[in-house]
Amino acid sequence: MELKTHIISTIVQHKPGVLQRVSGLFTRRGFNIESITVGESETPGLARMTIIAKGDDKLLEQLTKQLNKLIDVIKVRDLEPTNIVQRELCLIKVHAPEERARSEIIQYANIFRGRIIDVSTETLTVEITGDTNKIDAFIELMTGFGIKELARTGPTAMSRGPKTI
Amino acid sequence: MNGGQAIVQALLDEGVETVFGYPGGAVLPLYDVLYDSELKHILVRHEQCAAHAADGYARASGKVGVCMATSGPGATNLVTGIATAYMDSSPIIAIAGQVATQLIGNDAFQEVDMLGITMPITKHSFRPNNPNDIPRIIKSSFKIARTGRPGPVVIDLPKDIQEAELDEYINRPFKLPGYKPTLKGHPLQIKRAVNAIINAKKPVILAGGGVIISGASKELRKLAKIIRAPVTTTLLGKGSFPEDHPYSLGMLGMHGRKVANLTVNECDCLIAIGCRFSDRTTGNIAEFAPNAKIIHIDIDPAEIGKNIEVDIPIVGDAKKVLQDILKILEKKDINSEKKEWIEKTIKFRNKCMPRMSFDKEIPLKPQQAIKEIMETIDDDTIVTTDVGQNQMWMAHFYTSKKPRKFISSGGLGTMGFGFPAAMGAKMALPEEDVVAVCGDGGFLMVSQDLATLREYDIPITICIMDNRRLGMVAQWQRLFYDERMSHTHLGEVPDFVKLAEAYNIDAEKVEKPGEVKEALKNAIKSGGPTIIDIVIDPMEILPMVPPGRGLTEIVGEYKVETKTIKKEKVEGE
């Protein structure tokens, strides 16, 4: 069967141990998580998790059903990939001891609508948000300068328009 | 009121009468409350037995079984029992002591991450960090354990929380917005199922443990009768349909009956109710029921489509769904082709009934031992089994007629389950006779609890099918590993009669046909705990389907009953 990347949005109780229950479920059932992001939702006491997983339809069905079985999981929805807004945050610390490299990096950052959030004599740290492709492209550009450190959050996502999960 | 008192009070509020457990440092405050509580506590000799006993209690009675242990090693000893209950959807609550809140995470003495360890094998788990939550946690635990698809719940209980004072005892369950089991089947799917059933020429019903859990045996019989479908069961479904009924095919699967395996292979519509299509039931899934439209009724949506592709899925409680199906079916005219099918099936069944009479053979055949057990006990006797050949012989030959009377560890296949589960069943239903059929290997894993049996004078009979082998493993070695019997011979120790004597328990060794019957009769009459050491033929094996093969590919000699079986009338005429 065809492997597709799925973006699963879930609403869960915002309590200790819930992330472990969710991620443990993936391990136990042999599902691979590409990324998982979690943070408070619009409702106090509830958190939204965005899980990116690759798999065929059968795997995905089993995955959402197993997620639904967890008592701390309130809602699960496989988001329609063509109709979502999706963003990821990435911080990149780049090697930039020379003026020439610095100005190039700043220019690239501007083109990608990134921001320089920290400067030292040897490095620049860029903050960039966007979908996964955009961030991948920016990282590739920075590789030539020498990436000292990189932190990505993994995508978080929701449906476009008035629809909620 | 302190936390420990709140636990006991909340358990009493839930109607709990008996708990099985073993004390230790981290659970002392709770045990201190038990000292003058009306809650009956059975002190086992190993925590694993507490969990199995709670499980046996739950399966026999349909109520929730409760076990408790201290932190660390006490808690981890419960784990096998919790996993057993999880695999077989048995509602138990395991209360484990935990080190005091301020010590958690410090690798304190007897600390273990019990929540983390048990997360994959529980339906849910709780750790109160406020004593006021205790009553609500207990209440919620019972709700979660027994409703929907039942399962075990763990409560991890820090010592300081047991000691802390409550402001107020509020006994309302938590709001559980993520927990809404679907009980009623979707009407459209039910209609589709009815149509498929009516159009089928060769329908077969596969009944699983869910039929027993939801109490749907009456509806199951009605359905079989109306549509004239033979009924096969999974191991856990044994007893959901009376196995002396002419429509009964017995158990399906790797160690199932030939007639069941071949009939499922031939059917054009399989109505699977409350079962999860375990690999032991289906054999190679690519070859499972190749010609059949499959209707799957289960309360757990995640079971549908997990192992077997299903044509008509119905999520819901088996009893409710069957009632809805019957409501429509009763108004319909069921075609007469199904009569031919059931007559053919019954004829075939009678032709390949497995042979049970070996009246003269020594060493005693296990079939003969089971036959004698059956001739001695009544339909209400609760039978538990251990795991291995003893279990599969029982599943194969023992005619179970009522639900909740055959208790066995299916999913996890836990050796050492049979005896403690029998203790639990007897505590739940003291009026019923309880017989545990064990193997010598499994029994020895828990034999220390003979002390418990004596201490509380729990009158069960333990029949040890004694072949001095790990019989099932040896059977596999014989069939699939070139008879290289690697470490499956258990040797001649111990002498089970002497072992029983050490615990002041009556025991008898039997070796000849006829003796099992006599010994069991006496054991039940004695009104006390008894062991019967049944020396059986170590070479006897049960035909089986090799792992990974289709259900039709049975290997091993299949001895067939040659005595004429009286002609059975097809019901519903």
Side-chain angles (χ1 to χ4, degrees):
Chain A
M1 242 189 271
E2 194 195 348
L3 293 186
K4 276 188 287 194
T5 300
H6 293 275
I7 300 155
I8 302 157
S9 187
T10 64
I11 298 287
V12 302
Q13 302 267 19
H14 199 25
K15 289 197 306 203
V18 177
L19 182 61
Q20 191 188 351
R21 278 183 212 279
V22 171
S23 54
L25 184 149
F26 281 77
T27 319
R28 177 162 70 94
R29 301 272 170 190
F31 304 142
N32 190 30
I33 308 179
E34 307 259 308
S35 100
I36 190 163
T37 62
V38 55
E40 266 186 85
S41 76
E42 68 283 0
T43 317
L46 298 183
R48 184 179 302 266
M49 267 186 205
T50 308
I51 304 161
I52 315 282
K54 219 176 228 171
D56 59 33
D57 291 346
K58 190 175 150 76
L59 182 125
L60 182 86
E61 185 189 327
Q62 186 55 214
L63 189 69
T64 46
K65 282 173 168 178
Q66 292 293 346
L67 276 172
N68 257 317
K69 272 174 78 168
L70 296 178
I71 285 162
D72 289 329
V73 172
I74 294 161
K75 273 184 198 168
V76 181
R77 182 72 49 83
D78 182 23
L79 298 180
E80 186 65 53
T82 54
N83 197 29
I84 54 163
V85 283
Q86 179 193 356
R87 288 291 180 273
E88 182 177 354
L89 170 68
C90 180
L91 302 181
I92 311 167
K93 189 176 288 180
V94 196
H95 185 63
E98 297 153 21
E99 186 46 43
R100 193 188 149 91
R102 278 173 188 262
S103 66
E104 274 185 44
I105 292 166
I106 293 167
Q107 273 183 35
Y108 286 138
N110 282 336
I111 295 167
F112 278 79
R113 292 177 210 280
R115 293 199 301 152
I116 310 295
I117 53 169
D118 187 50
V119 181
S120 74
T121 51
E122 284 157 42
T123 60
L124 283 177
T125 302
V126 187
E127 166 206 306
I128 176 167
T129 58
D131 64 17
T132 307
N133 289 341
K134 176 181 163 187
I135 290 173
D136 286 347
F138 186 71
I139 290 171
E140 207 184 317
L141 273 176
M142 290 302 112
T143 313
F145 299 99
I147 297 173
K148 309 270 283 183
E149 205 168 37
L150 187 143
R152 292 176 78 153
T153 59
T156 186
M158 56 173 68
S159 305
R160 234 176 237 292
K163 210 160 97 183
T164 58
I165 73 163
Chain B
M1 181 185 272
N2 69 22
Q5 288 164 327
I7 292 163
V8 172
Q9 188 55 51
L11 290 175
L12 290 170
D13 286 353
E14 286 298 321
V16 176
E17 289 164 355
T18 310
V19 298
F20 304 87
Y22 202 102
V27 77
L28 268 176
L30 170 60
Y31 268 80
D32 189 56
V33 182
L34 285 176
Y35 189 68
D36 28 46
S37 145
E38 53 192 284
L39 208 56
K40 189 175 171 71
H41 178 273
I42 303 289
L43 174 67
V44 293
R45 297 303 188 264
H46 188 294
E47 291 89 346
Q48 185 178 334
C49 289
H52 289 327
D55 191 345
Y57 182 99
R59 295 193 204 202
S61 65
K63 292 192 268 187
V64 178
V66 181
C67 55
M68 42 183 70
T70 191
S71 64
T76 54
N77 279 347
L78 291 175
V79 168
T80 302
I82 295 168
T84 305
Y86 183 72
M87 290 290 268
D88 290 349
S89 309
S90 181
I92 67 166
I93 288 179
I95 301 174
Q98 179 57 279
V99 300
T101 320
Q102 72 274 14
L103 288 174
I104 289 178
N106 291 359
D107 299 327
F109 177 66
Q110 293 196 329
E111 185 194 353
V112 73
D113 177 11
M114 186 59 175
L115 287 186
I117 287 174
T118 57
M119 238 171 229
I121 50 164
T122 50
K123 193 168 169 190
H124 196 58
S125 46
F126 291 99
R127 179 196 288 155
N129 47 23
N130 178 344
N132 291 312
D133 286 341
I134 285 175
R136 280 181 283 193
I137 283 177
I138 302 268
K139 189 123 191 136
S140 306
S141 298
F142 274 80
K143 184 180 170 194
I144 292 168
R146 76 161 104 79
T147 58
R149 178 180 184 174
V153 175
V154 163
I155 304 173
D156 195 37
L157 204 59
K159 190 174 182 184
D160 55 323
I161 302 293
Q162 296 168 48
E163 286 163 341
E165 288 293 318
L166 276 71
D167 302 323
E168 202 185 349
Y169 181 88
I170 306 170
N171 194 351
R172 280 191 307 268
F174 287 119
K175 277 196 185 119
L176 300 167
Y179 184 65
K180 290 187 202 85
T182 308
L183 300 180
K184 209 173 146 35
H186 195 284
L188 197 76
Q189 294 298 79
I190 286 175
K191 237 179 244 162
R192 284 182 64 209
V194 169
N195 284 337
I197 291 169
I198 290 172
N199 292 330
K201 293 191 175 77
K202 300 170 176 179
V204 171
I205 299 172
L206 169 59
V211 175
I212 294 173
I213 292 169
S214 80
S217 288
K218 204 179 93 192
E219 287 76 10
L220 173 64
R221 275 204 303 279
K222 224 173 181 179
L223 177 70
K225 186 179 163 184
I226 292 180
I227 66 170
R228 295 191 173 110
V231 180
T232 178
T233 71
T234 66
L235 176 68
L236 291 190
K238 214 173 145 64
S240 62
F241 189 79
E243 292 186 304
D244 56 345
H245 192 288
Y247 286 17
S248 169
L249 305 178
M251 188 177 80
L252 178 72
M254 176 183 276
H255 298 285
R257 280 203 185 157
K258 188 174 169 183
V259 57
N261 290 356
L262 297 182
T263 308
V264 164
N265 190 59
E266 200 190 329
C267 75
D268 66 354
C269 177
L270 184 73
I271 308 153
I273 313 165
C275 72
R276 59 188 182 86
F277 292 112
S278 130
D279 55 297
R280 286 296 190 264
T281 300
T282 61
N284 181 357
I285 52 173
E287 292 171 39
F288 180 71
N291 311 314
K293 216 177 199 98
I294 296 178
I295 301 167
H296 189 189
I297 302 165
D298 204 287
I299 198 160
D300 180 355
E303 283 309 335
I304 291 177
K306 187 183 80 177
N307 296 339
I308 293 275
E309 296 281 342
V310 174
D311 299 288
I312 305 170
I314 307 176
V315 178
D317 174 69
K319 190 184 178 93
K320 288 201 168 61
V321 172
L322 286 184
Q323 282 170 346
D324 288 345
I325 289 178
L326 287 168
K327 233 179 266 164
I328 314 178
L329 268 180
E330 278 165 337
K331 291 182 211 139
K332 305 263 178 176
D333 190 28
I334 311 293
N335 73 45
S336 60
E337 281 168 281
K338 292 193 183 74
K339 192 177 153 202
E340 284 164 37
W341 166 242
I342 192 69
E343 277 173 345
K344 185 182 150 196
T345 309
I346 292 174
K347 215 181 271 171
F348 180 46
R349 182 191 83 140
N350 291 348
K351 222 172 69 185
C352 58
M353 275 308 243
R355 182 177 161 199
M356 293 191 73
S357 304
F358 295 85
D359 312 337
K360 299 207 169 54
E361 286 181 57
I362 301 172
L364 196 59
K365 293 282 183 194
Q367 297 92 317
Q368 173 72 20
I370 290 168
K371 184 173 162 237
E372 292 183 28
I373 291 173
M374 262 163 59
E375 285 169 356
T376 317
I377 62 181
D378 62 28
D379 302 349
D380 286 315
T381 303
I382 297 165
V383 176
T384 70
T385 82
D386 219 89
V387 164
Q389 278 185 324
N390 64 86
Q391 174 187 36
M392 287 306 137
W393 284 324
M394 283 298 282
H396 210 79
F397 299 107
Y398 180 76
T399 308
S400 190
K401 296 171 194 163
K402 293 183 179 177
R404 296 198 183 279
K405 301 296 179 193
F406 182 85
I407 295 172
S408 191
S409 164
L412 199 68
T414 311
M415 281 176 73
F417 173 81
F419 158 40
M423 281 203 293
K426 184 71 186 178
M427 294 308 297
L429 300 170
E431 301 301 314
E432 309 296 353
D433 292 331
V434 179
V435 176
V437 176
C438 302
D440 43 341
F443 174 71
L444 280 176
M445 286 188 172
V446 288
S447 64
Q448 77 288 330
D449 264 73
L450 287 175
T452 312
L453 202 60
R454 178 74 279 167
E455 181 71 30
Y456 296 93
D457 201 13
I458 304 170
I460 62 168
T461 309
I462 302 166
C463 296
I464 302 173
M465 303 287 257
D466 183 358
N467 54 11
R468 303 285 159 169
R469 297 283 188 293
L470 294 179
M472 184 57 84
V473 189
Q475 171 168 337
W476 283 50
Q477 287 171 336
R478 226 172 279 155
L479 293 173
F480 312 123
Y481 289 86
D482 234 359
E483 300 196 29
R484 287 156 52 83
M485 315 306 282
S486 180
H487 306 284
T488 45
H489 190 252
L490 291 172
E492 294 305 314
V493 282
D495 179 329
F496 286 112
V497 176
K498 279 193 183 147
L499 179 73
E501 202 179 290
Y503 289 100
N504 197 15
I505 286 173
D506 288 338
E508 193 176 338
K509 184 174 187 162
V510 301
E511 294 173 278
K512 294 193 208 76
E515 288 182 352
V516 177
K517 209 170 177 173
E518 205 52 40
L520 185 55
K521 216 184 280 170
N522 292 337
I524 291 172
K525 216 183 331 168
S526 78
T530 314
I531 290 176
I532 306 174
D533 179 16
I534 307 172
V535 180
I536 54 159
D537 183 355
M539 300 311 280
E540 188 61 27
I541 63 164
L542 191 62
M544 64 176 288
V545 176
R549 307 284 270 282
L551 288 181
T552 55
E553 299 174 71
I554 301 159
V555 299
E557 190 197 351
Y558 210 93
K559 301 181 186 81
V560 172
E561 196 78 71
T562 47
K563 275 186 207 158
T564 45
I565 293 163
K566 63 176 190 306
K567 192 179 175 304
E568 272 150 328
K569 212 175 130 244
V570 175
E571 247 189 76
E573 286 159 31

